[in-house]
Amino acid sequence: MASPPSDSRGKVRKKRQESLRKEKENDIQEHQSSDEDPGETLKRTIRAQRQRRKKLLEQSQEDTENVVEDISPFQHKDEDAEETARATEPAVWSTPPRAKKSLSNLPPIPGSQHLDDVMTQRLKEKFQAARTRVEKIHRQESSVKPTSRLQKLKDRETVTRFDREPDAEMQDISQSLSTRVKFREAVRKTDTGIPTAEEAYNFFTFNFEPEPEESEEQSKKSPTKQRTAGEDEDSEKEEQEEQEESDIDRANQDEDHNEEAPLVQDDRDNLFVTEQSTEDFIVVKKAEYIGYHKRLQHASELLFTPSLRPVPTCVKLPENIKPRYLEDEGLYVGERPPVSLTNENILENRLLKSAEGKKWFGDDGRIMALPNPIKESSTRPPLFHMEEELDPALQTVFRKPVMSKQENAYFAGVGDSAGDFQLDVDVSGLIFSHHPLFSREHVLGSRLVQLYDQYLNRQHNNLTGRLTEKLKGLRTALQNMVEIHGEENLTEAQQKRILEYNVEIKDTRQLRDREQEKDRTLLKNIIKVWKDLKTLRDFQKFTNTPYRLQLRREIVDPELDEREYEREIMAEIIELELEAEQEYKRKWDDYKTQLDKWKLWRKKQKGKKKKSMKNKRKDTEADSEDEDFSDSEALDEEAPPKPEVPEKPDLNSFEQNVREKASRIRRKPGEPILIPELSATGNITATEQCPRAEVARRMDVGRRMLFVRIIYNDKEVSRTDSCALNSDFRVHFGQIFNLRIINCPQSICLQVFEEAGTSSSLLTQVFIPVPEPSVLTGSAPIENFEFSSNQRVTFDHEGVGSDVPLSFEADGSNKITLLTSGKLACCVSWAIGDDDVPLAPPVSQQYGGTHSGLGHLDAVSFIGASGLYDLKKIGEWAKQSRLDPNDPKNASIMQLLKVASSGEVTAPDYFRLEQLQDEFNFCTDEELDSSKRYKLLRLRNQGVPEFRNYKCVPALEREVSDNVFLDYEKRLKEGDVVDTKQHLDSHRAFVASYLKKIRESVINRFLLAKHRYLLTDLVVEEEIPTIGGAGAGLLGINIFKLAEPKRPLKPQRKERKKVTAQNLTDGDIKLLVNIIRAYDIPVRRPHNNKGPPIQTSQGDLCQIQVRPFVEVSFQRTVLQTTTAEGPNPSWNEELQLPFSAPNGDYSTANLQSVKDEVFINIFDEILHETGTSDSDKQKSIHTRIERHWLGSVKIPFSTIYSQSKIDGTFKVNTPAVLLGYSKERSHNPNGYDGSVSGGAFITLFITIEPQLVPGESIRERFDSQEEESLLMAADRFDREAARSHPDRPCLTTVIDLNGKTVFITRYIKPLNPPLDMLSDTTEPMSMVARFVSLIPSLPDRVSFSGNCDLWTTCDQFLTFLAGDEEEHAVLLCNYFLFMGKKAWLVIGTAIPEGPTAYVLTYDQNRYLIWNPSSGQHYGQYDTFCPLQTVGCLVDAHNVWFNIQQYSSPMRMSFDTSKTNLWRPFFSRSFAHPGLSSVQPEQMVYHSTDKSTTVELQDRIEKILKEKIMEWRPRHATRWNRFCCSALKQFLPKLEKSGGQDLAEGHRHELLSLLGDHKLDSRSPSPLRLRLTHTSMALRQLTPVRLSFLYMFDYDLSKY
Amino acid sequence: MAAVNPAVFLLTVNGQIEGANFPEYDNLYCKYCYVYGHDWTPTSGLEEGITQITSKGSMSNKLIWNFPLETTFKSTSPSGWPQLVVSVYGPDVFGNDVVRGYGATHIPITPGQHSRTIPMFVPEPTWRLQKFTSWLLGRRPEYTDPKVVAQGEGRGVTRVRSQGFVTASFHIITKDMKKLGYDTGPSTTQPYSTDWSAD
């Protein structure tokens, strides 16, 4: 094959499909050819095939011989096919065609040649005859068979086979035509019966070679082939042609084969040769083949193929019911959803096949369907720009669903005292007018009763009599009128009157006649039924019913009667004559006018004719059009019909008619008046005397019980007792049910149930109208509600059953069908309460909730009263026009009508948006405000701090104590009025209140964000262990852990489980402080006699320079370590301090705002022996332990909380002057330079147990005035930074005080420090740093309770006098820039602050790192520099992110020009857009006046003194005035030294000053004085005031 | 004792955690606790408890704990009505104690006997590898606090899988609720009165 197999396969399939299509068009030739020559012709189109075929048709005539030869062997194979097959392909019986094929390709085998032509010819004829026969059969079937099956069979060919043996397959296909003969034979054979034993044996035991599959496949295909054959034309000639054609094609193909694929064929032949060896072992049998015909039969047994044909309507409906078309009856029927007709037919056929299939069909015989819900046009405006923002007008709004049904409509006002409504349902009894258990006699009896009832009713109404009287009256009136006025002088009005009278008389007469007739027939019927009943009784010889009819005769005077009768008839005749005459007159007039008209028309016609004749004559050759026109014109004028002369009324016939009628409808004159009287006094035959069937019926009746269920608003509320059915088919219940209701009554329904034995069945249900509110119990009459049921019931006893035809005639004609029916006597009314108040809804609300609930919702009533005036009219109109209530178009009108019909509508004269709000209001707003309890609940719900955790809000108003709100209200009041006393001066107070306001607004802003949860907040999940990789390769480490020692010498700290703070309670949290060691603790100065008051004992303690211990105090808990020795002690002790949150609130926000600090103080323990006492028997030594404060470290709790642990070495704050101590320099020659960071250090590890989850930063984006591109770039920059170096903080945008995002460089700008600060000192930088550091520090998270970082500008900062590290750093940086230094803001992490901001300066070829909050500076290579990580540098123009390997300042370069070390934010690709600064142009400082300073100084001193005295309650504290003043003198000097260590001279001076005074050793006054001094000194320098209070607290808390 | 004007009402919960139906697991025990609002205080009885470990019988597929509950609450308002929170634990294939289910139900509000079947669920690992490792290491995700299942806030971020059922029976007695204006008892008037909400 030229084309690759897969390709050819596709083509084959394509071709097949093509052929299929063709087949449908009955183009069999096409089909066959396409089916036959897949090999070469695959590549060609159909058209090409046709052309080729035509061309070859002529030249292939001589090939017919070959055809004969080709076919002949098949005939032989009928007998010895198996052998031939075995000879070529042993395992396959169906492969002979292929063998043949191969033979035909090869030089012909001699065996096939020796068959003589005659024989061949005969066989061929036989074969064709047989084929046509089979074809006939198949054609019948094939017409039914769907084409899709064919397709399936064809598609089933497996792909692999094609791949394996493409050539063979092609040949098979090409041969299929010739092989079909064979198959047909096989079909016929297998059709006849079951496989033989041998075949069966082979089937189970035979080991099939791969080939058989192929053969099977072929056999599968065979039906297809046969079927196609079946569709063949009958004529032999065509057959012949077809074969010729196929042979031509084959020949053609053979050529191709010979040309292109001889190799493959050879291969195949070789293959078979090798397989021939197995032939002896294998018995080859025909495969099992079930004939197509038979299979179809089987299939038809199992399968149901719904027909496509429409189903006749009568099949779909119950018998004897004509389809009912609601649409024709004028009702609205929605449009059905479109379904294709075939699908609908299929579905209908399918449904009908199923049991109860008919229930799917509606009255009109179609499948029930809801109206098509799809609107024709889209009601939603099309969205053209999906990606763009929606037009705000088109934004969708969520609306709560509104209950459309009125199910839950409650009476308004339920729950009020008047809200009790009660319905009384009185079910009194039940009378059956027909019941299945009726005997025939009962049927008649009930009919008699009915007729008698009717009679009584008529008699009561006496319509006939009344009409007769009326007629009489009219006649006399007319007569009078005529008599009085005479015939002549009648005015027009009177004539009209008379006419009217006449008409009225006529109408009345007719009415009376009708009534009389009815009366007469009724009477007749009664008598007839009674007669029937009597005959029936006689016939059956027993009586079932007690009815007896008696006819009373009323004798009348025959003469009078006769006269009356005649007079009546005469009067009628006269009237009729008169009428007839008038009628005739009218008709005659009509005739006249019409005749005139007609005559006129005739004249016209004649004139026209003449005219046209003239015209014709005028122009003989006139265009026919004109003539036509005139003709048509003439025709157009319709000829008025020639009126007929009205007949004269036949007066004689009147009398005859009247008399006939009278005799028919009236009692004959003289005949007595018959008055029937029905009584139920007859005797019923006793049961014993009745025949068996009747006894069975009576028994059955006795077993029947009936009860009634009361259904209110579709819910069963009650049911009556079961009552036995009486023999007269009456049931008496006599029960009254009281329904207390709050739902508006929608429906009241009584369901009648019949119980026979244990089973009960619903007989019928009766709907009872909801009574008007005025219908009250007692006054309401009992009404009879008729009911009927169409259940079919039949009995085998005397009971006539229901819905069963029944005849009373002897011949069975005149059948009637009776349905169970009867009357239910009941009464529904509104109850009357105890105090005679009707328990009915108010009149305005009547018709229940239909209006009380929804009526208020009704649009019309809300528009206002204006629309309501016309409501009545609308109602009238709607009634007249008979609106279809089903039509949705009318829905609004129908609702309107309901409103209208309810009578009075109380429409509010305002428009309300939330109509139901009032009903849902818990109580009025005033109540809510005035009630203390509600207020308490509300405040708690709002999360007001005072009440957030308020437990047990009292249940009753009076129990809420008045002073609950005192604090709260006080706080509210204080919001405005600031207490100046608490603060040192008014400015501070003002700032404090301002800060509070900001804080509140910030809290409000973050309230929302607080409620956003992350998975980690709720679920504890192990981190996924990463295998290897950078950082924590947990899984890898875990493996190594196995080999780890169980108790390592230096254990690593492990990550602990984090605990969400909110679930904690008091005592759960502990603060762990691990004090490891300290360096360079000041040592005692070897004292001389003049020295400080420390009197160390002479003995053993002399060698010890210092005995330090550490005391940790936190939240009133003080713990201390053991005492160590020497200036470099090592404690390695863990102290546990309990932590309790304020108000017991352990929420994250609250914990963040905890302001407590951890104080770590280092003391020196000194033992004094106070001497010995001999008073006791033995000598005892009293030792006094003194402790001398050496220094302290303080760490705020908020830092610990946010960092979760603090680990590092801290510089101990030591007082400037420590009397009696000297600092020991570390004299390590190769160590670090002690001069840079002289002082004591302590190594600590602090953490919280359990580990608390630090508050998340707000996950919210703030609005900004920055450009979008800048923000995007900042975002990107941050993200990349976080990705590459997650531990290095990167800050590009910050939030300003207004909550807006601001780019960070805007904060950097040179700003002037106070002038005198620069001029005064020799070291301006340190001076400035000190100045900045003295501004109190207040972490943002403390002040704003959320983990947000607000940056204030420098002037704001100085106004607030509070800020955290960033503000300090910015201010310091700006000062430095003003001073002409190179300065950057360093964003990094430090201990203990965590993420913070420092300032970096470059001066004199070295980088200095400034801690803005302490004023200290460190060299780049200082080991004790608290700055641990450098994240990024910021200056006024750019931000650089640290991308170096190391982040520690010691190991990195600060050269920002190197882009491989520092990644700039603004680069050439993204240039600096020229951001202006947010800082003010210039700082303005005000100098303080002396007096306030002095005042402040006094105040501070006073507070200090008071505090000290307070702390020593047991001793009188006396102040040495001289000492104080001396110290005060000394203070300015101290300040001048700028907090640096005092020079020796200073100390000596101080010592000499203080030398004579013995100070309390426990009050290291120099420190305190220094503080005072410091503040005072600064006070003089700057307008900035310092927060002393913090410092005081700090100092005092130490004691 | 019979205060004319009570300030609080009492709710006594008697009953038991009867058992559980965890088709796949065995040897489970159950912890229970109550979650209630600000206005509620337990006055007597155990607020928390832990049951014995129960294994299934050979015939039954049910775990029986029959663990008694006896708690009395007092309260001033029905807001924050107590909920019973149960969490079931048991060993996994490797013997690690893992959580098998969390569930919560409100204490029935009407007096009388009630039986509750509490559907149980456990948090799902965030992704499949996590699931595998948590299974392997026996450290399945747990709620930071079982009481989380009694509150609605923040549940949206979790994903859970349903596990089984715990049945609990309650006998509820209330005192003074009606006097404080809360009527929870079943109405005794008309059969139709199920629709009566207020009187």
Side-chain angles (χ1 to χ4, degrees), chain A residues 857-876:
Chain A
L857 290 172
D858 178 40
V860 175
S861 57
F862 276 92
I863 292 165
S866 63
L868 286 178
Y869 292 119
D870 295 322
L871 266 187
K872 294 250 162 66
K873 271 186 194 169
I874 293 174
E876 279 166 29

Side-chain angles (χ1 to χ4, degrees), chain A residues 644-660:
Chain A
E644 282 168 36
V645 184
E647 283 176 41
K648 257 212 152 204
D650 180 14
L651 294 179
N652 298 333
S653 66
F654 281 135
E655 190 176 350
Q656 204 182 336
N657 283 344
V658 166
R659 282 192 186 279
E660 258 175 39

Side-chain angles (χ1 to χ4, degrees), chain A residues 1059-1069 1144-1146 1151 1250-1252:
Chain A
V1059 172
T1060 9
Q1062 57 216 5
N1063 305 315
L1064 297 166
T1065 50
D1066 276 351
D1068 278 357
I1069 303 180
D1145 180 6
Y1146 285 84
L1151 287 178
Q1251 187 171 10
L1252 299 175

Side-chain angles (χ1 to χ4, degrees), chain A residues 740 940 953 1011 1018 1020 1024, chain B residues 39 76 142 144 153-154 196:
Chain A
R740 278 183 71 193
R940 184 172 72 176
V953 173
H1011 286 278
L1018 290 173
V1020 184
I1024 184 85
Chain B
D39 294 333
T76 54
E142 292 181 23
T144 52
E153 203 174 31
W196 290 75

Side-chain angles (χ1 to χ4, degrees), chain A residues 194-481:
Chain A
I194 308 142
T196 63
E198 200 185 13
E199 278 171 343
Y201 173 76
N202 283 339
F203 181 77
F204 287 114
T205 55
F206 198 81
N207 193 14
F208 287 101
E209 300 289 307
E211 257 79 5
E213 283 181 49
E214 209 172 12
S215 72
E216 266 171 21
E217 182 199 316
Q218 237 172 0
S219 70
K220 269 180 217 157
K221 271 187 287 181
S222 60
T224 321
K225 305 271 159 66
Q226 285 175 1
R227 215 189 52 71
T228 56
E231 279 178 358
D232 282 353
E233 60 278 37
D234 315 24
S235 86
E236 221 171 316
K237 200 183 166 193
E238 269 175 0
E239 187 84 37
Q240 188 79 22
E241 259 179 32
E242 175 192 318
Q243 261 191 339
E244 278 170 18
E245 218 167 72
S246 70
D247 281 320
I248 294 157
D249 284 343
R250 192 157 359 115
N252 221 9
Q253 204 181 331
D254 291 349
E255 283 169 24
D256 294 335
H257 280 304
N258 292 336
E259 279 167 16
E260 292 172 29
L263 237 181
V264 184
Q265 279 169 3
D266 285 347
D267 281 351
R268 216 194 73 212
D269 284 340
N270 290 339
L271 205 77
F272 295 134
V273 170
T274 54
E275 278 174 352
Q276 271 176 353
S277 58
T278 53
E279 68 174 325
D280 294 331
F281 307 101
I282 298 160
V283 180
V284 179
K285 273 282 170 186
K286 289 181 184 175
E288 195 73 21
Y289 176 71
I290 301 172
Y292 173 67
H293 200 55
K294 194 152 190 187
R295 257 195 298 170
L296 267 189
Q297 267 183 353
H298 275 299
S300 64
E301 278 166 25
L302 291 170
L303 303 176
F304 163 65
T305 317
S307 143
L308 299 177
R309 264 174 248 151
V311 186
T313 320
C314 56
V315 185
K316 292 184 275 188
L317 288 172
E319 277 173 58
N320 300 330
I321 288 185
K322 276 189 182 174
R324 178 179 163 214
Y325 297 103
L326 287 175
E327 207 159 8
D328 293 348
E329 290 171 30
L331 290 172
Y332 173 79
V333 178
E335 194 190 327
R336 296 165 73 90
V339 181
S340 79
L341 202 64
T342 40
N343 282 344
E344 204 175 317
N345 288 339
I346 288 172
L347 184 61
E348 283 182 354
N349 278 313
R350 208 177 277 152
L351 283 175
L352 282 174
K353 193 85 179 170
S354 64
E356 292 184 23
K358 280 179 187 172
K359 72 177 177 186
W360 294 99
F361 295 98
D363 289 338
D364 54 351
R366 301 185 68 185
I367 296 173
M368 280 184 274
L370 290 175
N372 188 8
I374 299 164
K375 293 208 173 184
E376 279 174 23
S377 57
S378 160
T379 51
R380 204 178 286 177
L383 298 174
F384 294 112
H385 309 289
M386 295 301 284
E387 61 280 344
E388 278 178 30
E389 285 279 305
L390 264 182
D391 182 49
L394 294 181
Q395 290 286 2
T396 50
V397 181
F398 173 74
R399 296 214 182 278
K400 280 264 164 118
V402 178
M403 293 290 272
S404 63
K405 284 273 171 191
Q406 304 145 9
E407 273 177 9
N408 291 332
Y410 291 94
F411 283 123
V414 162
D416 301 353
S417 57
D420 267 348
F421 303 127
Q422 186 176 327
L423 267 181
D424 286 352
V425 180
D426 182 353
V427 184
S428 63
L430 194 63
I431 302 167
F432 281 101
S433 55
H434 181 77
H435 192 271
L437 286 170
F438 268 21
S439 67
R440 287 162 166 271
E441 195 183 332
H442 276 109
V443 174
L444 290 176
S446 76
R447 201 185 293 165
L448 188 61
V449 170
Q450 269 173 29
L451 288 172
Y452 185 66
D453 278 352
Q454 219 176 328
Y455 172 79
L456 284 186
N457 208 12
R458 292 192 71 86
Q459 213 60 15
H460 179 74
N461 287 341
N462 197 12
L463 262 179
T464 322
R466 254 187 256 168
L467 286 171
T468 317
E469 290 302 312
K470 189 183 176 187
L471 196 61
K472 235 182 236 173
L474 283 171
R475 278 180 185 155
T476 42
L478 185 65
Q479 221 167 352
N480 285 348
M481 195 178 251

Side-chain angles (χ1 to χ4, degrees), chain A residues 712 715 717 738 740-742 940 951-953 955-956 958-959 1011 1013 1015 1017-1022 1024 1063, chain B residues 5-7 38-39 41 76 125-126 130 139 141-145 148 153-154 157-158 190-192 195-196:
Chain A
Y712 177 78
K715 285 174 193 158
V717 291
N738 302 323
R740 278 183 71 193
I741 54 169
I742 55 167
R940 184 172 72 176
K951 306 263 184 204
C952 280
V953 173
L956 298 171
R958 59 174 185 277
E959 283 169 9
H1011 286 278
Y1013 281 83
L1015 182 65
D1017 298 342
L1018 290 173
V1019 178
V1020 184
E1021 190 171 18
E1022 290 280 311
I1024 184 85
N1063 305 315
Chain B
N5 292 317
H38 286 303
D39 294 333
T41 330
T76 54
T126 37
Q130 194 97 322
R139 319 191 71 163
E142 292 181 23
Y143 280 122
T144 52
D145 185 9
V148 165
E153 203 174 31
V157 299
T158 63
Q190 288 281 323
Y192 186 58
D195 275 9
W196 290 75

